[in-house]
Amino acid sequence: MLGKDYASPVGRASALVLILGSILQTPPAFAEPLRGSTGDPEADFNWGLSAVNAKKAHQAGFTGKGVRVGVFDSGLDITHPEFSGRVGPDSLDIEASLLAGKPIPVSGDEEGHGTFVSGIIAANRDGQGTQGIAYGASLVPLAGDIGPDTFNVQTYFAFTYFASRGGEIVNASLGVDESDAPGGVADRAYLETQFPDAISAVREAARVGVVTVWAAGNEAADNAEAMARLPYYYPELEDTSLAVVALAHSGGLASYSSKCGVATAWCLAAPGGEGDIGDPEGVSSVASGGYMTAAGTSFAAPHVTGGLAIAREIFPDADMGDLRKLILHTAVDIGEPGVDATFGWGRLDLGNVVETIAPYGRSIFAGAAFSRRLSMEQVARLPSGPVARSQRLRRLWAAGDLVFAGIDADTDAGGLPQTKARSRTLAAGLDLIERGWLTAGLGLAYTNGATSEKSTVNTATANGFHGFGYGDWAGGAWYAKGAAGVSYFRQEHERRTIPGLAGTVLALGGPEARSSSDVWGVFADAEAGRNFDLGLAGMAVFGRFTGAVQSYGATSESGLEVLGYDLLSGTVSSAQVGPGVRFSRPFTRGAWMVAPELDLSYARVLGSSDYAVRTALLGREMEARTAALGRDVFGVGAKLTFEQPERGFTASVGYSGSFRERATQHAVRLSLSVKF
């Protein structure tokens, strides 16, 4: 016959007798099936859910909710409790609709095949029986009586109708008999001769974005069956086609399953069961209200279809062609290393699909913002690095700074890794105003920042260029000093730890994603206080404000086809304010004046205590964040200044550190100034 399903190596009717096994009203009454390993009785009723790591998706809250899934098959028992609330209003009984001349909804399933397939996709999670991969999805049954004389017409109506209703995902656990084709292989000419309307409808549905999941066939052939290998004849269909081979419980290819063959590029594997008579392995719902066991590529395909529904819920704005690639790229490599002719991309893995949105995959973008803020703070504080300004001529000065900072890991925030940042600064300035009580000038600085993460190999670097003005005023015991400026960074990101690729084909090649962006910023640092003479030492009590705003532009990563992030434009702001105290004790040694200083300070963070950057993956907007650093900042600093007033030479070396709940910062600062 021209039309056939792939429930088993034999035809549909004999499949129900030999392979589907016992059809009973209550699950406990039939032979005990093989179970999954999650410990959840309902999920483990079908071992396939455990095999594709569906539990991780369900634990993350993804069930296919809101996603419509078409099932082109024999129908659906809509009275079965597993489908209560699961059937959408736009189902179609094709044969009845053709006779009536208007759409007629599906009311039943005489053969049971469609009910079994639908149960794997979306059976309810209701505490009894089994559950589907995407138990929150809505089913759109497209019931056909697919036989030798009906395949062409009914396939045409199924795909045309589903596409016209805005459908995006359809399961087609069926195929064509190729025995009458020349050489036993249905080529393009044969398909267009025998099934012109069906092929046209599939191509048109693909054009509007419908992704079809095809069973690879149960002929134990070297190539997937004709419908599953359609992109071999029509290359434009590859972006909307998936072919699925069946796995036995052992993890190898089921003995009856055809291999991917020429469909390798769009093919993967999923649980189908071995299907030996008397030892069936798959479990799902059956028409008449019970459950049954079965095996076949017909039942491997709906695991993938349910996985697509999960992916669509995670990425509601993604292109369906990209979601098809996501399913392939996150499959676990099995068989020969790489994409192979038996298993294609490997075994479906929903754990990997969900892992693609793990926070640690994008946290480097936020860590880079933290590092840039570090550089701007360095630049803002360098002009006040030498001694207090008094009794000097107009002066040229230079200063260097090396800062190390770290952010602790946060396992409570999605596994955020420990972040390390380093920034080197070289600055120079010129005092333009010398009034005794006021010194002011302009400066330029270059910074080189680097960010890395302990548990990933993701890194970021930023070359920064800064222009700033500064001033230092003293009026009796009171003083004020500060700096403000503008920054430009050329930011580079490099991600080599890509969530969702564990054990995959892409992981073998060392995946890498890169991006570059331009970041502008403004910064300010101001301190005001009063000096006190304590006799043996001087003391200053002060208040300090420091803040910065970064504005970053949009860019996209290159190097990964579907798992590259888009960095969306936005701003990052940070500010601190608080009091401090400084002790100093100048003394002379020969021609040198030596001034040691010790700072102790506290600051309160204004606004958010973490760093967040706007990103998107496959259209899903997600913030990249560091761990919450804490709002209380305790600082300590020490500086030793050497000055020869007669020669106009001043140099200083200092250390400063700040300590927060989840972050530390250490800086070593060198400065040099020369009168001229």
Side-chain angles (χ1 to χ4, degrees):
M1 70 182 181
L2 297 178
K4 64 189 297 186
D5 70 76
Y6 283 107
S8 71
V10 293
R12 175 175 287 166
S14 55
L16 293 175
V17 176
L18 297 178
I19 300 300
L20 297 183
S22 302
I23 302 176
L24 302 166
Q25 295 303 311
T26 55
F30 66 90
E32 181 70 15
L34 289 167
R35 299 277 182 170
S37 58
T38 67
D40 181 336
E42 188 177 2
D44 289 342
F45 204 57
N46 172 19
W47 65 269
L49 273 69
S50 178
V52 301
N53 207 4
K55 181 179 180 179
K56 186 168 183 177
H58 300 158
Q59 287 178 328
F62 299 115
T63 67
K65 183 178 181 180
V67 180
R68 297 163 60 242
V69 179
V71 183
F72 181 29
D73 216 294
S74 62
L76 180 68
D77 179 2
I78 61 175
T79 66
H80 198 299
E82 294 291 3
F83 303 110
S84 176
R86 298 273 68 79
V87 184
D90 47 0
S91 67
L92 182 72
D93 185 322
I94 299 171
E95 188 172 10
S97 299
L98 290 174
L99 291 174
K102 62 179 181 180
I104 301 296
V106 171
S107 59
D109 181 8
E110 293 182 1
E111 297 186 21
H113 187 271
T115 300
F116 194 98
V117 166
S118 297
I120 294 173
I121 297 171
N124 273 323
R125 179 165 177 80
D126 55 8
Q128 60 183 354
T130 187
Q131 70 181 55
I133 295 284
Y135 58 79
S138 175
L139 292 168
V140 182
L142 307 166
D145 181 15
I146 306 167
D149 301 319
T150 58
F151 182 86
N152 182 54
V153 172
Q154 299 218 2
T155 301
Y156 169 82
F157 275 97
F159 278 85
T160 300
Y161 174 84
F162 190 62
S164 71
R165 295 301 190 274
E168 295 183 315
I169 305 167
V170 61
N171 189 91
S173 291
L174 47 83
V176 299
D177 190 336
E178 302 182 58
S179 59
D180 292 336
V185 177
D187 59 12
R188 177 169 177 164
Y190 180 83
L191 292 171
E192 291 180 350
T193 299
Q194 298 294 327
F195 317 114
D197 299 319
I199 300 302
S200 175
V202 171
R203 295 179 71 185
E204 179 59 23
R207 189 187 67 79
V208 298
V210 177
V211 171
T212 305
V213 182
W214 302 96
N218 296 342
E219 310 298 336
D222 288 336
N223 292 300
E225 76 91 28
M227 299 304 288
R229 65 174 188 268
L230 276 181
Y232 181 71
Y233 307 118
Y234 306 95
E236 74 275 12
L237 295 182
E238 182 175 338
D239 286 341
T240 54
S241 298
L242 288 170
V244 187
V245 301
L247 295 175
H249 187 269
S250 64
L253 189 72
S255 60
Y256 56 81
S257 179
S258 295
K259 299 176 182 178
C260 294
V262 297
T264 293
W266 56 93
C267 188
L268 74 163
E274 183 51 55
D276 291 338
I277 298 174
D279 185 28
E281 294 189 297
V283 184
S284 185
S285 49
V286 66
S288 74
Y291 302 85
M292 61 187 180
T293 52
T297 56
S298 270
F299 313 129
H303 285 83
V304 173
T305 303
L308 265 176
I310 295 288
R312 171 45 98 199
E313 182 188 6
I314 298 173
F315 301 105
D317 297 319
D319 179 81
M320 280 304 303
D322 286 338
L323 293 185
R324 183 202 70 92
K325 292 177 184 176
L326 180 71
I327 290 293
L328 294 174
H329 292 180
T330 55
V332 172
D333 188 29
I334 56 178
E336 297 181 7
V339 181
D340 65 81
T342 299
F343 302 104
W345 287 80
R347 185 188 70 245
L348 172 70
D349 194 299
L350 295 182
N352 272 348
V353 172
V354 173
E355 190 69 8
T356 60
I357 62 173
Y360 72 87
R362 57 185 178 275
S363 56
I364 190 66
F365 303 125
F370 170 76
S371 183
R372 294 192 300 266
R373 170 66 177 83
L374 199 69
S375 295
M376 288 192 282
E377 181 180 309
Q378 283 178 286
V379 173
R381 298 208 176 166
L382 279 176
S384 59
V387 297
R389 301 170 184 275
S390 62
Q391 299 179 352
R392 296 173 305 175
L393 299 174
R394 192 169 296 176
R395 189 185 68 168
L396 176 69
W397 58 269
D401 207 355
L402 178 62
V403 177
F404 296 93
I407 302 174
D408 295 340
D410 189 351
T411 56
D412 295 330
L416 292 174
Q418 182 181 17
T419 302
K420 295 183 178 180
R422 184 265 302 155
S423 182
R424 294 177 293 195
T425 304
L426 180 62
L430 180 64
D431 292 346
L432 299 177
I433 299 175
E434 280 282 353
R435 295 289 186 269
W437 51 273
L438 175 65
T439 301
L442 297 175
L444 298 172
Y446 165 77
T447 58
N448 174 258
T451 312
S452 61
E453 296 176 335
K454 185 176 182 180
S455 57
T456 76
V457 288
N458 299 334
T459 59
T461 58
N463 290 309
F465 303 89
H466 315 265
F468 56 91
Y470 59 89
D472 188 342
W473 168 85
W478 295 93
Y479 74 94
K481 59 183 178 180
V486 178
S487 300
Y488 165 77
F489 294 92
R490 183 59 176 174
Q491 179 71 62
E492 308 282 342
H493 304 102
E494 184 176 285
R495 292 191 307 129
R496 290 196 176 101
T497 299
I498 313 297
L501 296 185
T504 66
V505 169
L506 293 183
L508 297 174
E512 181 177 288
R514 296 175 177 270
S515 63
S516 301
S517 60
D518 297 320
V519 182
W520 291 89
V522 293
F523 60 87
D525 184 272
E527 177 182 316
R530 191 179 192 282
N531 292 307
F532 297 90
D533 186 355
L534 302 181
L536 294 177
M539 180 181 73
V541 178
F542 59 85
R544 176 182 290 156
F545 168 84
T546 181
V549 178
Q550 305 174 45
S551 177
Y552 52 89
T555 188
S556 297
E557 287 187 310
S558 61
L560 286 177
E561 194 169 359
V562 294
L563 291 178
Y565 270 92
D566 295 318
L567 276 71
L568 309 179
S569 60
T571 60
V572 179
S573 302
S574 56
Q576 302 174 16
V577 62
V581 60
R582 179 179 301 111
F583 299 95
S584 61
R585 178 65 171 88
F587 60 90
T588 58
R589 284 290 184 270
W592 290 94
M593 177 180 292
V594 182
E597 291 183 1
L598 174 66
D599 281 24
L600 300 173
S601 64
Y602 165 80
R604 181 71 172 175
V605 174
L606 307 178
S608 177
S609 69
D610 60 2
Y611 288 77
V613 173
R614 296 178 63 229
T615 66
L617 180 65
L618 292 174
R620 180 188 176 99
E621 290 195 24
M622 300 172 287
E623 284 189 323
R625 287 187 173 274
T626 65
L629 309 186
R631 293 191 177 280
D632 301 307
V633 185
F634 299 92
V636 60
K639 182 171 67 175
L640 192 60
T641 302
F642 303 89
E643 183 177 10
Q644 281 193 338
E646 298 300 323
R647 297 184 179 182
F649 176 85
T650 304
S652 69
V653 57
Y655 161 82
S656 64
S658 66
F659 305 88
R660 301 167 69 172
E661 181 181 355
R662 286 188 177 274
T664 58
Q665 178 177 320
H666 304 278
V668 177
R669 183 170 292 122
L670 301 173
S671 63
L672 175 69
S673 64
V674 180
K675 292 180 181 179
F676 68 94

